[in-house]
Amino acid sequence: MTEHRQHPSSVVSFKSAHDFDTTIAQLKRALDGVGSTVFADVDQREAASLVGLALRPTRLILFGNPKAGTPIMAANAHAALELPLRLVVWQDDEGHAVVDYRDVSQTLGPLYAIAPELLGPIQRVAALLQAAVQ
C-alpha cells in the first residue's frame, strides 16, 4: 500500500512512469537540458546503512541554475536558505519511484518579498520535472 503522509502545500509529489534508477537519470538529463547544474546527489539509503539503519531507496538531489538563483539571492540574501533547489526521489511500498519537489516559487514571494518577475524561471521547474518522468 502506498504511504500517504502529510507534506507542505509547496511540495509537489508525483509518481514516475519509470523505475527508481531510470527516474534519477531522466531527471538529471532534463535538468542538464535546461542548463541546470546538479550540485549534489545524496544517497540517503546508503547513509542510513552506514549507521545500521534501513531506509527505502531515497536520493536527495540539489540543483539549480545560477542565472535564475543569483538574482533572487541578490534581492534578499536570506533567500539563499531556499537555494539551490532540491528534489527527493524515493521508492514507495509498491515499488514505484516517487518524486517530491518543494516548489520554492510559492514561498519566496510571500516569505522573502521576492519580486514576481524574478520567480519566472523557477516557476517552470515542477512541470519540467514531471514531464521528464512521464
Side-chain angles (χ1 to χ4, degrees):
M1 182 165 180
T2 302
E3 292 185 20
H4 298 283
R5 301 203 179 203
Q6 184 69 24
H7 58 73
S9 62
S10 62
V11 172
V12 179
S13 185
F14 48 89
K15 284 187 182 179
S16 173
H18 309 284
D19 65 47
F20 187 83
D21 291 330
T22 303
T23 296
I24 299 286
Q26 292 287 98
L27 291 167
K28 287 182 174 182
R29 189 174 6 262
L31 292 169
D32 184 58
V34 294
S36 288
T37 300
V38 172
F39 298 112
D41 180 349
V42 181
D43 187 334
Q44 293 176 314
R45 181 184 200 182
E46 181 181 324
S49 73
L50 293 174
V51 296
L53 298 173
L55 182 66
R56 71 184 81 243
T58 306
R59 300 256 296 269
L60 169 69
I61 298 175
L62 302 175
F63 66 96
N65 184 327
K67 288 181 182 179
T70 301
I72 292 169
M73 291 182 285
N76 184 336
H78 299 292
L81 287 168
E82 307 295 338
L83 303 169
L85 301 173
R86 59 193 69 57
L87 65 86
V88 174
V89 179
W90 54 280
Q91 187 171 304
D92 70 13
D93 293 339
E94 298 168 346
H96 298 107
V98 179
V99 179
D100 287 345
Y101 167 68
R102 183 158 178 256
D103 185 358
V104 298
S105 71
Q106 295 181 27
T107 56
L108 284 170
L111 297 179
Y112 297 91
I114 301 299
E117 60 270 12
L118 295 179
L119 299 176
I122 63 172
Q123 288 174 327
R124 295 185 286 273
V125 173
L128 170 80
L129 298 175
Q130 191 163 10
V133 297
Q134 297 308 306

